[in-house]
Amino acid sequence: MLCVLTFMENLGDELENVAEFFALTPNLRISMHLIRGHLEGRLVTMTSLIGASRAPYATANRRIKDMQKEGLIDQRPRTATGKSFSLHPSVTLLDQWTQLTNRVHRLATAQFEGAVSAETSDYYFGGSYLNAKSIPPMKVLAEPLKLAGGLRVLVHGDPTFMVMDNLKRQFEQTVGTQIHQRAFSIDRLREETMRNAARKSSSYDIIAVDLPWVGGFAEQDILMPLDEIMDISRIDPGDFHTAGWQAAHWGGRAYGIPAQTTPELLFYRKDLFAQAGLEPPATTQELLAAAKALHDPQRGLYGIAWNAARGTALGHTVLMTMADFGQPILDLKPIAGGFETESLAKRAYRVTIDTPAGLQVAEFLKELLNYSPPGIHSMSWYERIRPYAAGKVAMAFGYTLLAPYFELDEGSPAKDQTGYLPHPAGPDGAPIAPIGGYVLGIPANLPKDRVPAAVEALLVFTSPPAQKLFVQNGSRTNPRYSVGADPDVQRLSPIFEAVDAMSARDELQYWPRPPIPEIDEIIQICGEEFHDMLRGVISPQDALRRAQERAEATLARQ
């Protein structure tokens, strides 16, 4: 929108330089100034808008009033008296400009590139209809949030939340107050959240919560149940990927709104597979065969990268691989499409690690070592993606939030050559894409007078326009169907269409990491015992037995 807007402004200046008779109308100048201010997070006042119109004061003032009456300009008070106010484009004006931007871009492309592009051709065969349904930019709140000291947010230091920090000016413009964001690594985020929960009053209005923590935080009264502080229908639950929305619940109540739904997928190099005459793997045996065929250390190419670092990283791999083989880490009841998790709050579950399927998982992971890059025993979240982005491995398991490492890197051999698959299935499993990500919730110890404003901010941060803005600025996570279907979003990456298709096939699942209070300890235990096994210190049978015993002891302490 900014690109087209700049073109129109420059064109208007050129026309005006030829002859004043060709000057743009004040209404158009007013609209362009409003849109630019909104997109860049700049304050627009009556004085600045009159100046931007390039019309006499009385004429400009009258045109602005007319546009307000037509519902094209919103006015928001800046002071308690309301005498000072800011001006913003309404939803109607934003929607009109979104459509106009698409049309101007098509016309310019068709005219100045010398031929009608495929995208321009779509304009005549339904493309314009689809683009008319694009999600418009965020609309400013009618009333600025009244929060002493501004809005305080605690998040994880991942690419998506860092995009949110980079867009702070736009969000401050939208909510009408300063935003103070703190970001930590995942372990430090949990520590800070626990420290904050012990305080008499929360230091944060909104906190990011890793999906497996939801149950524990609900049990420990760290998060407010959303149904106590807001109308759940305002969230539009049906717009979220089903698994992501379900993962925000404990005991049938929602404790947060999905801000990231990022499934772990198998990234694979389509060009390398084509050269080797290989089909994308759908089973674990096909995965091993492909990894073996593409593994060529003498050429500096390795088969597959994955989380094998001791502790949390490998623990996640163990739980997800068990799910690939058709077994959850707990004795969950099988249901259509997976396993039942709604009754977890009753705490009637036991650990299922030392099983025949568990032994298959252990043997599979040991075989994966044969086709893995050097240093695999210390490889975790980012380390497995970096060699894939650098062209040193043919496949990698990775969350979609890490896709920017190669999708946005012009020098990466994996750019535009990556295919996205759910986890290949073991003998008794089905293809699944275990979801990770975060919900945004409100601390239970937040002072009551700050809760209403925190709710409004929560709705802004998780809204379709905000999620679309994250994607347009580099994020590759998305919790909403409407955003994944947005044509502007789909043009940016094939990952969104792929994930939506997996969701439609019921492959997005959160039961592989059930959000029970003990899940962090169980993940850590699996990551320690299986690491000793992968290093050859203990046998697979011993690793399973020891992990089972330690996990059972953890449940017994609760």
Side-chain angles (χ1 to χ4, degrees):
M1 287 182 78
L2 279 172
C3 181
V4 172
L5 187 62
T6 300
F7 167 73
M8 293 178 66
E9 288 171 338
N10 292 340
L11 178 61
D13 290 340
E14 291 297 328
L15 292 170
E16 194 168 330
N17 287 338
V18 173
E20 193 172 327
F21 180 76
F22 296 144
L24 300 183
T25 68
N27 295 51
L28 191 55
R29 292 279 188 191
I30 289 168
S31 299
M32 292 193 296
H33 188 70
L34 277 170
I35 297 292
R36 179 173 289 281
H38 183 70
L39 295 178
E40 295 182 345
R42 299 180 186 276
L43 180 69
V44 177
T45 64
M46 181 65 86
T47 302
S48 67
L49 201 54
I50 289 173
S53 73
R54 301 188 186 179
Y57 181 90
T59 301
N61 188 63
R62 186 173 62 254
R63 297 292 180 88
I64 293 169
K65 296 297 184 184
D66 289 343
M67 292 178 72
Q68 287 180 302
K69 289 178 183 178
E70 291 294 321
L72 300 176
I73 300 177
D74 289 340
Q75 181 173 307
R76 187 168 73 182
R78 296 176 60 201
T79 60
T81 64
K83 292 181 179 179
S84 177
F85 53 85
S86 56
L87 297 170
H88 308 270
S90 69
V91 170
T92 301
L93 183 58
L94 287 169
D95 186 53
Q96 291 174 352
W97 270 88
T98 300
Q99 296 179 47
L100 177 63
T101 294
N102 289 326
R103 292 197 295 269
V104 169
H105 185 266
R106 287 194 197 93
L107 290 170
T109 300
Q111 183 64 39
F112 298 117
E113 287 189 358
V116 179
S117 66
E119 182 182 355
T120 307
S121 299
D122 288 342
Y123 176 73
Y124 301 102
F125 300 100
S128 67
Y129 173 73
L130 290 173
N131 278 286
K133 299 170 69 174
S134 295
I135 297 168
M138 290 187 298
K139 177 184 180 295
V140 298
L141 298 181
E143 294 286 335
L145 298 184
K146 296 179 174 59
L147 286 167
L151 183 71
R152 304 166 305 196
V153 186
L154 177 65
V155 299
H156 180 228
D158 62 42
T160 294
F161 284 124
M162 291 303 96
V163 166
M164 181 175 164
D165 189 54
N166 294 337
L167 297 168
K168 191 170 76 165
R169 280 177 57 187
Q170 282 90 327
F171 281 98
E172 288 178 339
Q173 171 95 329
T174 299
V175 300
T177 190
Q178 287 188 320
I179 297 174
H180 307 286
Q181 178 171 303
R182 297 188 72 191
F184 292 101
S185 65
I186 188 167
D187 292 331
R188 289 191 61 202
L189 173 63
R190 184 178 176 86
E191 291 170 5
E192 176 60 17
T193 302
M194 300 304 292
R195 279 196 297 268
N196 184 66
R199 297 171 183 140
K200 183 178 180 180
S201 295
S202 174
S203 297
Y204 306 99
D205 300 295
I206 295 173
I207 57 176
V209 179
D210 194 15
L211 293 184
W213 302 345
V214 170
F217 284 6
E219 291 278 327
Q220 298 173 66
D221 197 30
I222 293 174
L223 291 171
M224 287 186 184
L226 295 185
D227 56 7
E228 288 186 359
I229 54 177
M230 66 180 298
D231 178 2
I232 297 295
S233 65
R234 295 183 67 193
I235 302 172
D236 190 11
D239 190 32
F240 290 101
H241 288 126
T242 305
W245 176 240
Q246 290 176 342
H249 289 67
W250 181 254
R253 306 178 79 181
Y255 284 85
I257 304 178
Q260 295 182 29
T261 297
T262 175
E264 182 176 271
L265 306 180
L266 178 67
F267 304 152
Y268 72 98
R269 287 281 300 279
K270 295 187 292 185
D271 54 338
L272 296 180
F273 269 68
Q275 291 168 16
L278 296 170
E279 292 294 323
T283 68
T284 51
Q285 284 304 310
E286 291 174 1
L287 176 68
L288 290 171
K292 181 179 181 179
L294 296 170
H295 189 66
D296 191 352
Q298 291 185 339
R299 289 199 302 125
L301 181 65
Y302 304 90
I304 186 167
W306 47 290
N307 269 6
R310 186 178 184 84
T312 302
L314 178 56
H316 280 86
T317 294
V318 172
L319 267 63
M320 292 180 181
T321 309
M322 281 194 166
D324 299 341
F325 280 75
Q327 179 185 293
I329 197 72
L330 303 175
D331 60 336
L332 303 178
K333 178 183 176 182
I335 58 173
F339 292 86
E340 192 268 327
T341 55
E342 293 183 3
S343 62
L344 286 174
K346 297 177 181 178
R347 309 294 289 276
Y349 46 78
R350 64 183 183 85
V351 179
T352 51
I353 299 174
D354 191 2
T355 65
L359 185 58
Q360 287 182 309
V361 168
E363 297 290 356
F364 170 74
L365 294 179
K366 284 192 68 176
E367 192 167 353
L368 268 190
L369 287 178
N370 298 326
Y371 317 117
S372 302
I376 185 65
H377 291 107
S378 59
M379 189 168 282
S380 60
W381 321 106
Y382 296 96
E383 287 80 8
R384 60 181 172 172
I385 297 303
R386 290 191 181 110
Y388 178 80
K392 296 179 180 178
V393 293
M395 296 180 286
F397 285 109
Y399 285 115
T400 59
L401 70 86
L402 298 177
Y405 277 95
F406 52 86
E407 281 201 351
L408 303 181
D409 181 359
E410 294 295 334
S412 172
K415 179 177 172 58
D416 300 326
Q417 294 294 340
T418 295
Y420 301 102
L421 295 173
H423 279 217
D428 296 315
I432 63 170
I435 66 164
Y438 290 83
V439 297
L440 290 178
I442 296 178
N445 57 340
L446 183 66
K448 290 184 178 180
D449 62 328
R450 298 182 71 91
V451 171
V455 167
E456 295 305 317
L458 191 63
L459 290 169
V460 168
F461 293 150
T462 58
S463 67
Q467 294 294 331
K468 178 178 177 179
L469 188 62
F470 295 152
V471 171
Q472 290 175 314
N473 284 271
S475 171
R476 288 298 179 265
T477 71
N478 164 47
R480 289 183 176 268
Y481 288 113
S482 61
V483 177
D486 186 288
D488 300 327
V489 168
Q490 289 195 349
R491 280 194 290 267
L492 294 173
S493 170
I495 206 166
F496 300 108
E497 187 174 0
V499 169
D500 278 357
M502 291 177 204
S503 183
R505 295 192 299 266
D506 213 17
E507 291 170 350
L508 297 192
Q509 298 288 343
Y510 78 99
W511 58 261
R513 294 189 306 164
I516 61 174
E518 307 88 355
I519 193 64
D520 268 10
E521 289 184 69
I522 292 174
I523 289 172
Q524 184 70 24
I525 289 167
C526 290
E528 292 171 354
E529 299 298 344
F530 275 69
H531 197 263
D532 286 345
M533 178 202 73
L534 292 177
R535 292 190 299 115
V537 177
I538 59 176
S539 68
Q541 291 82 357
D542 284 341
L544 293 168
R545 175 181 55 79
R546 288 165 56 165
Q548 178 78 28
E549 291 174 352
R550 290 179 62 190
E552 287 178 348
T554 296
L555 293 186
R557 290 198 304 270
Q558 302 303 317

